């Protein structure tokens, strides 16, 4: 199954036969993980800390629909701007990643930040892929967007019409890919 999860979206997917792409667009924090028995892959593209706890609760409810909770999650957080980015932006988004890690750990799950896949002084784009294994490649690649649900890509287009610092609470609400 081909899945393209974009900014402001999350999803829970059966691992078997999954062809997943998470292309980065604006400054995003990626979450990639699996449940204990590794039968499900979870992923999300967070772009703001506005409504963060509500979005994480929504993400966990999606896991619960598939029979597991945050307690059974092992996740890696990647992307975003590191501390060195203060020269080009005021609030490094890597802080959002740490809030996500704290949320997952508070719920009993395992989570850690990728120590190499985040931007510093020089912006980088990190695109996650999963096809029998997980890997991240940098740069912009148009093929990363191909094959996903048209409704998910349209939702993404609408979301990026604003910068995350322009969001109001309703703009920050994330979408479950499986409900599109």
């Amino acid at each position: 199954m081909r899945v393209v999860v974009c900014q402001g979206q999350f999803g829970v997917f059966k691992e078997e036969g999954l062809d997943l792409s998470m292309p980065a667009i604006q400054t995003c924090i990626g979450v990639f993980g699996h449940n204990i028995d590794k039968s499900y892959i979870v992923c999300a593209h967070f772009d703001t800390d506005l409504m963060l706890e509500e979005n994480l609760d929504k993400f966990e409810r999606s896991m619960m629909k598939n029979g597991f909770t945050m307690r059974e999650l092992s996740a890696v957080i990647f992307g975003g701007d590191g501390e060195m980015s203060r020269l080009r932006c005021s609030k490094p988004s890597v802080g959002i990643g740490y809030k996500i890690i704290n949320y997952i750990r508070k719920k009993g799950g395992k989570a850690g930040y990728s120590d190499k896949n985040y931007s510093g002084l020089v912006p980088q784009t990190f695109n996650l892929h999963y096809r029998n294994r997980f890997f991240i490649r940098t740069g912009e690649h148009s093929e990363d967007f191909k094959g996903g649900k048209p409704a998910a890509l349209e939702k993404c287009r609408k979301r990026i019409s604003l910068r995350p610092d322009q969001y109001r609470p309703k703009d920050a609400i994330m979408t479950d890919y499986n409900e599109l």
Side-chain angles (χ1 to χ4, degrees):
M1 171 172 78
R2 177 70 174 149
V3 174
V4 180
V5 174
C6 294
Q7 181 172 334
Q9 299 172 8
F10 64 88
V12 178
F13 308 100
K14 286 197 176 267
E15 178 194 24
E16 189 175 331
L18 181 63
D19 178 3
L20 169 68
S21 177
M22 287 178 56
I25 301 166
Q26 294 175 338
T27 300
C28 291
I29 297 296
V31 176
F32 177 82
H34 53 79
N35 65 332
I36 290 173
D37 70 6
K38 298 184 179 180
S39 58
Y40 284 93
I41 299 294
V42 300
C43 61
H45 253 195
F46 291 88
D47 57 2
T48 181
D49 58 358
L50 184 62
M51 305 290 290
L52 183 61
E53 190 154 336
E54 291 86 347
N55 283 322
L56 286 164
D57 289 344
K58 193 174 172 182
F59 188 30
E60 183 174 29
R61 283 192 299 276
S62 183
M63 288 181 229
M64 292 168 76
K65 287 180 189 174
N66 288 284
F68 63 101
T69 66
M70 288 281 181
R71 181 181 324 260
E72 299 167 80
L73 180 65
S74 179
V76 63
I77 286 62
F78 64 95
D81 298 316
E83 290 299 317
M84 289 299 296
S85 69
R86 287 194 187 274
L87 296 174
R88 65 180 168 85
C89 66
S90 60
K91 186 178 178 187
S93 58
V94 74
I96 298 168
Y98 285 112
K99 288 178 183 179
I100 294 167
I101 289 168
N102 290 336
Y103 178 95
I104 293 170
R105 288 178 178 172
K106 185 173 76 175
K107 297 275 189 156
K110 295 178 185 170
Y113 211 100
S114 167
D115 61 356
K116 61 181 177 180
N117 295 311
Y118 67 89
S119 297
L121 185 59
V122 178
Q124 285 185 281
T125 301
F126 299 100
N127 306 289
L128 180 134
H129 297 275
Y130 180 85
R131 272 179 243 114
N132 299 319
R133 67 179 181 87
F134 131 86
F135 61 99
I136 293 175
R137 87 175 158 171
T138 59
E140 296 178 19
H141 308 276
S142 61
E143 65 272 14
D144 294 345
F145 293 92
K146 293 181 180 166
K149 289 182 180 179
L153 293 172
E154 182 57 31
K155 189 85 166 168
C156 181
R157 280 188 198 94
K158 287 180 182 176
R159 188 172 185 102
I160 64 172
S161 67
L162 296 173
R163 290 188 324 268
D165 63 346
Q166 297 173 316
Y167 289 173
R168 293 168 297 183
K170 72 177 185 108
D171 301 316
I173 296 169
M174 293 179 67
T175 304
D176 186 337
Y177 185 91
N178 292 307
E179 292 178 3
L180 292 171

